Amino acid sequence: MVSFRCEVHQNPYLPEDGTQVDAVVTVTVTADVDGAGPAATARPAHGEAAGTAAGDPAGAGTGRAAGGGPDAVEVILLDCSGSMSGGRKMAEAQRAAAVAVDTLRDGVGFAVICGTSGASMIYPDEGLAIVSDRTRQEAKARIGTLAAGGGTAIGAWLRAARALMLLAPDAIHHALLLTDGQNNEPPDTLAEALAACEGVFQCDARGVGADWKVDELRLIATALLGSVALLRQPADIAADFQAVIQTVMDRGVRDVRLRIWAPRGARIRFVRQVSPQIDELTGRAVAVSDLVQDYPTGAWGSETRDYHVCVDVPPAPVGGRRLAARISLLDGEQTLSTTKVEVIWTDDSVESTRINEVVAHYTGQAELARAIQDGIRARQAGDEDSAVTALGRAAQLAAAAGDELTLRRLEKVVEIVDAQTGQVRPRHSVEKLDEMDLDASSTLTVTPKTP
Amino acid sequence: MSAVCPEGHLSATEDWCDLCGSPIAPGPSPRAQPSRAAGPPPADGQRGPAGAVDEAGPSDGAGPADGADLPPTTRSAAPLTTPPPSAPACPVCTEPRSGSRYCEACAYDFDTGTVPGAPVPVARPSPASHAGPASRSGPPPHSPPRPHLPATADPVAAVRSADGQTVIAGAGAGAGAGVGWVAEIGPDRAFFDRNDDDVDFPDLVTRRQVALAGDRTLIGRRSPRRNVLPEIDLTLPPEDRGVSRVHAFLDHSDDGRLAVTDAGSANGTWIGSDPRPIPPGRTVPLADGDHIYVGSFTRITVRRTC
Ligand SMILES: [Zn+2]
Ligand SMILES: [Zn+2]
């Protein structure tokens, strides 16, 4: 059994004629199985903290869905293109896939796919295998025989994963994708594959080495409600795979939607997940009625996520009160938790100009991600001035948030003279891996400092 | 359970107007606050929509006992909260009433005459008197879902209704995922309108997809007690009770052909625009993109995937 809890952070006071309402909703899921609390589950894998506590599965230990099929399906998509034969990449990818298979829970449906110019089954020969000691051994033996050769067609790999997912329609669906290069399909092919896969499964995307494109994997991870990360060394893959699979295995609630009601005449300006990473949800709204929108959030384990919701409401006279939003988490049609965003109009400017600290913090984190991405894009285009301006702003925001990891990544790309004022100088020799790491990690956020 | 807001709107929620957001009763201070807990969940686990009842998770019962789901004012205004003995069935889906406040099958609320997913209030206080209009009362027309996202209670299994993309399974040397056909299942308004069944068209028009594995697929309604476990199971939401337990078979052999056979269903099986149902027991070949119609509103579209 898992329980969902919503908490809202906002300044409920609006000035006369004020219409913009900002609120951050913190959703916390706790599992009550075997005393496995939130601490038993790691947050989605950061590049750094790879070793996760192998906690008890959060309410997901049965191995069987209601319909009799597996309750979860994991498809591992391994890049086996020719470039993977360089260095230790193929050997480490094989080792990582074996670790991933070992981390899967008994009873889960799984498959390992070899991705080249198409997609072929490594294990099983077709369809899905069910995890057991025997199938783990068979899969690992098969993984050990892999050889690299061929192209990179990520869209075809994702479609193959999708076909496998559809064999167990009632399960939690996840894929883990590893690549070391750029997609060489025609531009629309990947976009079409993503459109077909959206809502069918979630996917975490990993790039190893410096020859893949951050934007490409970010596109995949964003569409499929997953994360993207850079693995500097082939030797880093295994620990990351283990962390990712452990997180997925701990997810017990399959498919959760954020439902937002806003009053007539209101407009939802944006809905954005802001922790543990930034995901824009605004464009994913599905209208339930004129006043109600649903946003997909994927599967949940024991974890905490924050959502920033910004709504424009029709103004009311001073003293007026209004419900600006009703925000719920739904599993199917079952409401897991609900919270309300209420506002009151006041002529007390002290009240109305006070900014809620949590809202301010996450507004800054979203701007930080944008500043980093803008700065890197400007740098790559040779626009040094814009790069320095954007990355300086990024340093300032990171310092204000106490975001040490981001400051450290920034420091490798620009020389930070004074973070408080955003003064930075360009560096003339920057390792490509460092720039990619900064880019790929830009959407990870930190939680607000507790006062 | 409804209230009138200061601006005169009839609201299904009693704290704030579910149309304009105005406060209805003297509410709590507008300070930020955590979610409030409500009573135990209805027996069937179904909940009202977000705009209807303020609820927390089932295990989050430690909050104030505000009795949000049983306000005394409206209950005294409608003392006949249990249906008369002559009308023990749900007026929406005809499922016999189990004794709980909510219908086991569709979560119809016998006390208020509302169905889930209906953010607009229902003016009829006594739901059980007549089967027809009550079932048409609830939801406003839905905006169509965006094409890239399923608007469904079951998005994991759902696909875009316009998804004509092929599924590539194991395009390389190894065998594929063994998928030659997929069936896309969902409600069809035109078919529903053609029928005269006394049921609601589903609130949420959802479509899901089932890959046809093996060589035979059963269309029906799941009944573990009778060991009927259809691959295409119309007890899944939106449930179609017009479909027989064992309704029809899809046969798909290795040569890539697909055919349908009505297994002697109560209400028949239709293909395409043919106004007559197919004769029971006779195997009828199907082509890519063909529509099969079963039950009160279900359309099954078959698509070749390789
Ligand atoms: Zn109103
Ligand atoms: Zn019913």
Side-chain angles (χ1 to χ4, degrees):
Chain A
M1 195 63 224
V2 287
S3 63
F4 281 71
R5 187 170 179 79
C6 285
E7 194 182 345
V8 62
H9 309 272
Q10 61 159 155
N11 174 7
Y13 292 100
L14 286 181
E16 194 175 357
D17 300 326
T19 61
Q20 184 184 334
V21 181
D22 281 278
V24 169
V25 179
T26 299
V27 182
T28 304
V29 179
T30 333
D32 339 312
V33 167
D34 300 328
T41 309
R43 290 201 156 208
H46 264 242
E48 280 74 10
T52 93
D56 297 312
T62 62
R64 294 261 134 187
D71 68 348
V73 173
E74 181 68 34
V75 175
I76 298 166
L77 298 168
L78 289 184
D79 184 342
C80 297
S81 62
S83 59
M84 286 291 288
S85 61
R88 299 260 321 136
K89 270 190 279 193
M90 200 64 224
E92 287 294 341
Q94 285 168 296
R95 186 171 74 88
V99 168
V101 166
D102 277 334
T103 311
L104 292 170
R105 198 161 23 81
D106 277 3
V108 165
F110 80 109
V112 186
I113 286 178
C114 161
T116 54
S117 318
S120 53
M121 300 292 288
I122 300 172
Y123 185 83
D125 291 333
E126 61 172 36
L128 295 168
I130 300 297
V131 176
S132 67
D133 287 340
R134 179 179 66 79
T135 56
R136 280 195 195 93
Q137 292 313 319
E138 287 174 1
K140 287 191 283 184
R142 210 68 79 75
I143 288 165
T145 65
L146 277 180
T152 305
I154 298 178
W157 311 349
L158 294 171
R159 282 182 181 279
R162 175 181 183 274
L164 292 167
M165 303 295 180
L166 293 175
L167 296 175
D170 296 329
I172 294 180
H173 300 100
H174 181 264
L176 174 52
L177 165 70
L178 174 74
T179 185
D180 76 328
Q182 299 181 19
N183 196 26
N184 39 42
E185 290 173 315
D188 289 344
T189 306
L190 179 59
E192 286 166 13
L194 285 173
C197 294
E198 243 182 68
V200 178
F201 63 97
Q202 290 180 252
C203 182
D204 288 302
R206 297 295 183 255
V208 59
D211 298 325
W212 54 282
K213 267 166 80 181
V214 176
D215 283 346
E216 211 160 71
L217 290 200
R218 184 150 51 213
L219 187 71
I220 295 167
T222 302
L224 303 182
L225 302 174
S227 63
V228 56
L230 165 84
L231 305 172
R232 283 173 180 266
Q233 303 293 335
D236 298 339
I237 306 171
D240 177 73
F241 269 32
Q242 187 186 12
V244 170
I245 299 292
Q246 190 61 58
T247 302
V248 173
M249 292 296 104
D250 287 347
R251 290 180 183 152
V253 187
R254 181 167 78 147
D255 170 62
V256 177
R257 285 165 298 144
L258 189 70
R259 173 167 289 185
I260 301 181
W261 171 94
R264 188 174 65 180
R267 188 176 70 91
I268 297 177
R269 205 184 280 196
F270 63 79
V271 178
R272 174 190 295 152
Q273 181 185 294
V274 289
S275 175
Q277 65 173 21
I278 293 182
D279 276 318
E280 289 295 343
L281 298 176
T282 319
R284 297 172 167 253
V286 175
V288 176
S289 72
D290 289 348
L291 307 181
V292 178
Q293 305 282 326
D294 277 359
Y295 302 84
T297 71
W300 286 65
S302 288
E303 58 184 301
T304 298
R305 301 186 202 174
D306 294 318
Y307 296 90
H308 184 168
V309 176
C310 181
V311 184
D312 280 309
V313 293
V318 165
R321 294 165 62 217
R322 200 193 288 284
L323 187 63
R326 210 185 267 276
I327 302 174
S328 318
L329 272 291
L330 275 88
D331 176 16
E333 285 306 307
Q334 182 184 353
T335 304
L336 303 164
S337 184
T338 293
T339 191
K340 288 176 282 195
V341 178
E342 306 169 15
V343 289
I344 183 162
W345 279 265
T346 177
D347 51 10
D348 180 344
S349 63
V350 175
E351 292 283 18
S352 64
T353 55
R354 186 178 292 150
I355 296 173
N356 178 278
E357 283 172 16
V358 177
V359 171
H361 170 81
Y362 282 124
T363 304
Q365 290 280 291
E367 191 191 344
L368 171 59
R370 240 179 353 256
I372 290 173
Q373 289 169 25
D374 288 351
I376 289 175
R377 219 162 292 136
R379 226 184 146 267
Q380 287 165 345
D383 182 354
E384 200 72 77
D385 288 348
S386 303
V388 162
T389 306
L391 295 176
R393 175 68 181 145
Q396 197 176 16
L397 289 161
D403 186 348
E404 286 298 328
L405 285 176
T406 298
L407 277 175
R408 226 177 293 162
R409 292 191 194 99
L410 271 168
E411 178 68 41
K412 291 177 181 160
V413 177
V414 288
E415 189 188 328
I416 300 177
V417 181
D418 181 1
Q420 311 307 324
T421 60
Q423 199 192 344
V424 301
R425 278 197 215 108
R427 283 190 195 281
H428 292 291
S429 84
V430 172
E431 250 199 80
K432 191 175 175 204
L433 276 172
D434 288 328
E435 187 182 88
M436 287 171 74
D437 193 18
L438 178 65
D439 192 358
S441 309
S442 60
T443 53
L444 297 176
T445 58
V446 294
T447 49
K449 285 175 285 191
T450 37
Chain B
M1 174 157 59
S2 58
V4 178
C5 91
E7 296 187 25
H9 308 126
L10 193 58
S11 169
T13 48
E14 297 189 314
D15 49 357
W16 300 84
C17 174
D18 66 5
L19 183 64
C20 71
S22 296
I24 291 175
S29 100
R31 286 285 181 194
Q33 55 184 296
S35 62
R36 293 151 68 220
D44 59 2
Q46 296 270 15
R47 299 306 191 92
V53 185
D54 187 17
E55 289 175 321
S59 44
D60 185 10
D66 57 10
D69 60 348
L70 292 172
T73 49
T74 48
R75 284 173 69 82
S76 60
L80 286 175
T81 51
T82 48
S86 58
C90 168
V92 175
C93 74
T94 70
E95 174 84 5
R97 183 169 178 181
S98 67
S100 99
R101 173 177 162 185
Y102 298 88
C103 171
E104 299 274 20
C106 72
Y108 174 85
D109 184 335
F110 286 94
D111 285 5
T112 64
T114 56
V115 290
V120 295
V122 177
R124 296 160 44 83
S126 169
S129 55
H130 183 252
S135 68
R136 301 284 167 202
S137 57
H142 302 298
S143 312
R146 298 169 66 95
H148 67 293
L149 262 185
T152 166
D154 187 10
V156 173
V159 295
R160 303 173 303 154
S161 56
D163 185 0
Q165 310 286 346
T166 55
V167 176
I168 299 174
V179 181
W181 291 90
V182 292
E184 198 182 273
I185 303 130
D188 182 274
R189 185 85 218 189
F191 177 57
F192 171 81
D193 288 340
R194 210 166 81 194
N195 295 323
D196 198 22
D197 296 358
D198 191 16
V199 298
D200 251 355
F201 192 70
D203 289 342
L204 277 177
V205 176
T206 62
R207 302 195 68 76
R208 66 197 160 90
Q209 185 160 315
V210 170
L212 308 188
D215 50 23
R216 176 165 263 202
T217 297
L218 174 60
I219 300 169
R221 295 199 312 122
R222 181 180 160 81
S223 172
R225 207 158 40 87
R226 293 172 224 185
N227 200 28
V228 176
L229 305 168
E231 286 82 7
I232 296 180
D233 178 5
L234 279 313
T235 64
L236 294 178
E239 176 167 24
D240 191 334
R241 297 180 154 260
V243 174
S244 298
R245 293 285 171 193
V246 176
H247 193 105
F249 291 102
L250 292 171
D251 282 295
H252 27 93
S253 39
D254 277 340
D255 60 13
R257 282 184 296 192
L258 181 69
V260 64
T261 310
D262 183 281
S265 67
N267 294 321
T269 302
W270 284 260
I271 297 176
S273 54
D274 193 331
R276 292 156 309 164
I278 61 175
R282 184 169 320 157
T283 299
V284 182
L286 294 170
D288 192 8
D290 270 355
H291 300 312
I292 304 164
Y293 298 96
V294 293
S296 300
F297 51 72
T298 298
R299 183 183 80 212
I300 300 170
T301 305
V302 293
R303 295 190 199 282
R304 192 184 284 281
T305 58
C306 316

